[in-house]
């Protein structure tokens, strides 16, 4: 097993962007979930990935399993709940940069995740463990499992990456900050956005936030900034990384998960820092140009072509300008 991840999957019903299709009341079925998205992206790139979860013993749960199997994700550690349903979300794309999502996840099967769901030996057998703050937010059991898994992975010398994926509708800022800080003590690589960087550290200045985040444990801190690229602090080295062009954006949901998949793939492939960051940005740019959370993930051939054609340029190793929240909103 190269990558182990855990969390909740949701079946997604999206209104078509075509006005005539939307007027007929038709919805397109797909699936999402931060950890599942990243798992599918990695599997599409040829990695052995295990996604652990709980699903309802219902048709939607079967759909999730079938979708993951079709993408090559292993579901050896997915349980089925007899009393709680598979989670749902409804998505409406109002424009290239405006997608409204409504979640139906209260008391879903995913909330039955709890410590002990993954054996210590299973965690130790992975090359990497990828975790997110969504599982932390959906319930006490999943939250405890995230902490248990992170601590077990760190103790076994397994590389841990963490994306807070802050969801203000299901976790308060105070609780989120406390829980994220606890996970960061066992984290090697933090992949967050600007809001999360400031939330965790209390620093309005992103340059100061990078330092404060690294002081909490991670040797690599990546602050994703969408079309503005990313800020990086890697073993004391700073990088300002541009975004990869996405000339035809369709759906921004899942872009961060795609960036994570590209980054993890690149590190597993042994690429250097600069190439890894460029590849992560490339993967994210492909996903936002397709409807759905994961459908736009490139395959291994597309990524290999990007790596082969890449004109390698050294990013500037500088401190970033001081940025206030208003300047980066």
């Amino acid at each position: 097993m190269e990558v182990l991840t855990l969390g909740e999957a949701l079946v997604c019903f999206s209104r078509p962007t075509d006005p005539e299709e939307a007027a007929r009341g038709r919805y397109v079925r797909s699936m999402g979930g931060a950890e599942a998205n990243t798992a599918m992206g990695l599997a599409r790139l040829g990695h052995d990935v295990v996604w652990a979860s709980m699903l309802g013993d219902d048709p939607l749960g079967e759909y999730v399993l079938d979708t993951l199997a079709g993408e090559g994700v292993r579901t050896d550690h997915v349980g089925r709940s007899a009393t709680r349903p598979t989670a749902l979300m409804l998505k409406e794309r109002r424009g290239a940069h405006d997608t409204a999502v409504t979640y139906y996840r209260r008391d879903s099967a995913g909330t039955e995740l709890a410590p002990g769901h993954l054996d210590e030996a299973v965690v130790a057998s992975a090359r990497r463990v990828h975790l997110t703050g969504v599982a932390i937010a959906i319930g006490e059991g999943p939250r405890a499992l995230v902490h248990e898994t992170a601590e077990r992975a760190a103790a076994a010398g397994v590389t841990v990456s963490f994306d807070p994926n802050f969801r203000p509708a299901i976790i308060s800022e105070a609780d989120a900050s406390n829980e994220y800080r606890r996970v960061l003590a066992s984290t090697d690589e933090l992949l967050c956005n600007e809001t999360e960087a400031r939330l965790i550290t209390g620093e309005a200045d992103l340059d100061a936030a990078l330092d404060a985040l690294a002081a909490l444990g991670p040797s690599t801190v990546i602050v994703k900034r969408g079309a503005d690229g990313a800020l990086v602090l890697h073993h004391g080295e700073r990088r300002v990384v541009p975004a990869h062009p996405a000339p035809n954006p369709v759906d921004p949901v899942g872009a961060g998960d795609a960036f994570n998949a590209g980054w993890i793939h690149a590190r597993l492939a042994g690429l250097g820092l600069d190439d890894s960051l460029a590849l992560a940005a490339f993967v994210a740019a492909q996903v936002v140009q397709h409807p759905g959370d994961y459908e736009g993930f490139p395959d291994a051939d597309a990524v290999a072509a990007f790596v082969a054609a890449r004109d390698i340029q050294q990013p500037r190793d500088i401190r970033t300008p001081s940025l206030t929240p208003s300047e980066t909103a």
Side-chain angles (χ1 to χ4, degrees), residues 116-156:
H117 188 89
L118 293 168
D119 292 340
E120 195 168 350
V122 172
V123 176
S125 69
R127 288 181 61 187
R128 281 178 165 261
V129 166
H130 178 68
L131 303 168
T132 88
V134 179
I136 286 175
I138 62 174
E140 292 299 324
R143 177 178 302 186
L145 177 60
V146 168
H147 291 308
E148 178 184 76
T149 303
E151 291 162 7
R152 285 178 170 178

Side-chain angles (χ1 to χ4, degrees), residues 288-305:
V288 302
Q289 296 183 88
H290 293 77
D293 289 16
Y294 75 91
E295 285 83 346
F297 270 111
D299 60 19
D301 289 340
V303 167

Side-chain angles (χ1 to χ4, degrees), residues 180-198:
Y180 301 163
R181 282 171 167 265
R182 181 179 168 189
V183 175
L184 291 183
S186 301
T187 296
D188 300 286
E189 300 168 352
L190 170 64
L191 303 109
C192 64
N193 61 31
E194 296 175 70
T195 298
E196 293 155 354
R198 294 186 172 104

